[in-house]
Amino acid sequence: MIQHQDLRAQLVAVGYFPEILGDVVDASLGGEPVEAFYVHPDVAFGNGTIGRHLTVLAVTRTRLLV
């Protein structure tokens, strides 16, 4: 089983507001253990702009967090 610390470590490794995002994920999981997760950072280049986006998926026994 995936440990919640592994998910937290991935959020820190991405470096995109890990404390805030970690708190949101914690609150959304409702204390349930994480069975699987996926963290995907993405960068979008536009006309003179750069945007960052982070997708986090987490699965518990009763939830799918997106």
Side-chain angles (χ1 to χ4, degrees), residues 39-54:
V39 176
H40 178 74
D42 191 24
V43 178
F45 299 95
N47 188 16
T49 63
I50 298 175
R52 293 175 59 185
H53 176 79
L54 182 64

Side-chain angles (χ1 to χ4, degrees), residues 14-36:
V14 170
Y16 189 65
F17 300 106
E19 296 85 14
I20 295 171
L21 188 56
D23 290 346
V24 170
V25 169
D26 285 343
S28 300
L29 291 174
E32 292 186 48
V34 176
E35 295 186 10

